[in-house]
Amino acid sequence: MPFTDQEYFEVIEKNEIVKKAYENIKQICFDLQKQTKCPEDDLKDFLEFIARQLNK
């Protein structure tokens, strides 16, 4: 069962490693979208692609 947004935010606030990862990923995504001018859907698809690669 996936976490709710609220549960994710609670973990982010309580765990410094998770908070730093969240902030870094968010900034990287912001920079990527700004530099490539890609639509949000493309960025979402790219993140999902990366997530699938973590299990390989």
Side-chain angles (χ1 to χ4, degrees):
M1 185 168 102
F3 290 112
T4 64
D5 288 355
Q6 182 61 36
E7 290 171 325
Y8 276 121
F9 284 124
E10 288 174 11
V11 171
I12 290 165
E13 285 305 311
K14 292 178 182 176
N15 187 310
E16 197 60 37
I17 294 170
V18 175
K19 184 175 186 175
K20 185 175 180 179
Y22 171 75
E23 291 170 354
N24 287 339
I25 292 167
K26 202 166 120 175
Q27 185 63 50
I28 289 166
C29 289
F30 175 79
D31 292 344
L32 179 63
Q33 190 173 28
K34 184 178 176 184
Q35 293 171 15
T36 64
K37 297 178 178 53
C38 69
E40 282 186 33
D41 284 346
D42 288 355
L43 185 58
K44 179 184 172 202
D45 292 343
F46 184 56
L47 288 170
E48 289 172 355
F49 166 77
I50 291 170
R52 288 191 305 271
Q53 301 312 303
L54 296 175
N55 295 324
K56 293 184 176 186

